[in-house]
Amino acid sequence: MSSIVTPSLAKLTKINRTFSIAPMLDWTDRHYRYLARVMSAELLLYTEMVTTGAIIHGKGDYLGYNDEENPLALQLGGSNPHDLARCAKLAFDRGYDEINLNVGCPSDRVQSGRFGACLMAEPKLVAECVTAMKQVVDIPVTVKTRIGIDDQDSYEFLSEFVETVSHVGCDTFIVHARKAWLQGLSPKQNREIPPLDYQRVYRLKKDHPSLNISINGGVKTLSECREHLLHLDGVMVGREAYQNPYLLAEVDQQLCGSDKPVLSRDAVLEKFIPYIEKHLISGGRLNHITRHMTGMFQGEPGSRAWRRYISENAHKPGAGIEVIEQARKMMTL
């Protein structure tokens, strides 16, 4: 294992946890994160969950990102303290601003690897994992969890889990305000069927005022974010931030006190196009990026024409910026 880092290596990045975007598999890749950063300088970005096995044994670069994405957190999936520490140190050396441990994903594949939501039943192991990572990095190590699992869904169960993990120095928890059913429900169903219980997360903060606690689950508007922020330190938004990405354009102004002008949708595209061009020049395909843009004009006249034109043309060989330009023109026909 790598040696303990010295204070001289500490990162000075100040993380604003008021608003963050949830880790979403196959969605929050580096292209989407760059688009999100174009719209908001203040929000905190999270990678998709990356397993320790992929980082240690995989052939690809699972830690790659664009410098412009910072502040950026890496979400790790795993339960072996040594492996998690090894991956955390690699991420620290690459310039990540936070390491987040996934204790919330309920999928069967994740459970078979003994990580994700099933770890809520093993708080001492989670504490060991956090301790191992904190020993080798000088950036925050945080935990994203549920309010409970299966029949272990009392407030006392959640509070005891948080207390156990916080005692080893984890002071930040992101809580998905639904419990997870480890058997019988798909990951998609686990995001929709178990009822939301925001009050339980509010109580957790009230009972543990020294901890930084963010809430996740079912949040769709910045107005709802403001309501949660009356009780909590931060709000994490998932599907709405992906399917309606322009929501992010007013995060800095409405939630973070910024007085900079709000970018129009067209201004966002204009700032994003150089990134797309760079991707194309390097041999990338247009649809790898435009799949994240189909919701940019959600609710606007012509949005269906925008989505349809991009969906029908961005995947074609040689497709370039002209597809985006034409899709925008189609909205006015």
Side-chain angles (χ1 to χ4, degrees):
M1 183 182 296
S2 303
S3 59
I4 296 176
V5 296
T6 62
S8 62
L9 294 177
K11 289 199 65 171
L12 299 177
T13 302
K14 174 69 173 175
I15 296 179
N16 184 345
R17 301 188 182 280
T18 303
F19 184 96
S20 57
I21 298 178
M24 292 177 282
L25 192 62
D26 296 326
W27 285 7
T28 50
D29 65 12
R30 60 192 178 93
H31 302 314
Y32 170 78
R33 298 193 304 261
Y34 192 101
L35 174 63
R37 182 61 72 208
V38 166
M39 290 180 277
S40 170
E42 297 291 338
L43 62 77
L44 175 59
L45 291 165
Y46 283 77
T47 68
E48 306 166 85
M49 182 188 71
V50 186
T51 65
T52 54
I55 294 172
I56 295 171
H57 305 294
K59 295 181 180 179
D61 180 8
Y62 290 91
L63 296 178
Y65 67 95
N66 310 286
D67 289 341
E68 294 85 352
E69 295 172 38
N70 292 107
L72 175 64
L74 171 69
Q75 188 182 66
L76 285 175
S79 60
N80 181 296
H82 180 274
D83 289 350
L84 284 165
R86 179 178 174 183
C87 293
K89 183 61 167 64
L90 289 171
F92 174 74
D93 291 341
R94 293 286 290 273
Y96 280 86
D97 299 290
E98 173 190 323
I99 307 298
N100 178 263
L101 180 63
N102 184 312
V103 189
C105 182
S107 78
D108 293 340
R109 182 172 61 85
V110 166
Q111 291 177 57
S112 67
R114 199 186 174 204
F115 58 91
C118 62
L119 284 177
M120 282 199 78
E122 300 184 75
K124 291 182 179 179
L125 175 58
V126 174
E128 291 173 13
C129 292
V130 168
T131 297
M133 290 187 283
K134 286 181 65 67
Q135 287 178 338
V136 298
V137 303
D138 199 38
I139 53 177
V141 176
T142 67
V143 168
K144 186 173 189 291
T145 187
R146 294 276 184 142
I147 60 173
I149 49 173
D150 296 336
D151 294 325
Q152 295 175 292
D153 63 350
S154 68
Y155 173 74
E156 289 71 26
F157 173 76
L158 172 64
S159 184
E160 288 174 10
F161 171 83
V162 168
E163 287 175 4
T164 299
V165 180
S166 66
H167 282 164
V168 298
C170 178
D171 62 4
T172 299
F173 294 82
I174 302 103
V175 184
H176 187 152
R178 288 185 175 94
K179 75 173 182 179
W181 284 105
L182 300 181
Q183 302 293 332
L185 294 183
S186 69
K188 180 178 185 298
Q189 290 172 321
N190 260 304
R191 291 192 299 267
E192 299 170 350
I193 292 177
L196 288 160
D197 190 346
Y198 294 143
Q199 295 300 321
R200 185 173 300 188
V201 186
Y202 294 172
R203 180 181 174 186
L204 187 70
K205 174 63 181 180
K206 185 177 180 179
D207 290 349
H208 302 84
S210 64
L211 298 179
N212 188 296
I213 297 179
S214 294
I215 198 165
N216 173 228
V219 182
K220 294 184 180 298
T221 68
L222 297 186
S223 177
E224 292 173 16
C225 290
R226 286 195 296 272
E227 176 62 30
H228 288 307
L229 290 169
L230 296 175
H231 307 275
L232 300 162
D233 302 291
V235 181
M236 175 179 276
V237 178
R239 284 169 287 171
E240 191 67 23
Y242 186 87
Q243 295 165 350
N244 179 23
Y246 191 66
L247 170 81
L248 308 178
E250 295 188 47
V251 165
D252 295 0
Q253 293 79 3
Q254 291 201 30
L255 303 182
C256 302
S258 173
D259 59 1
K260 69 180 182 181
V262 175
L263 291 175
S264 68
R265 288 176 170 83
D266 285 324
V268 172
L269 293 182
E270 185 177 344
K271 291 174 70 72
F272 193 40
I273 279 177
Y275 175 81
I276 301 174
E277 290 175 330
K278 183 178 178 181
H279 172 72
L280 296 174
I281 291 171
S282 69
R285 295 179 63 88
L286 182 66
N287 63 316
H288 291 168
I289 293 181
T290 54
R291 70 188 186 94
H292 304 303
M293 300 168 59
T294 56
M296 268 299 294
F297 291 90
Q298 181 172 307
E300 295 293 296
S303 60
R304 184 176 299 179
W306 162 269
R307 292 194 303 270
R308 182 173 63 246
Y309 192 86
I310 285 180
S311 299
E312 291 176 354
N313 293 280
H315 68 281
K316 295 179 179 177
I321 295 299
E322 71 282 350
V323 172
I324 298 173
E325 294 171 342
Q326 185 60 32
R328 185 67 182 93
K329 291 178 183 177
M330 295 294 290
M331 293 180 64
T332 61
L333 296 180

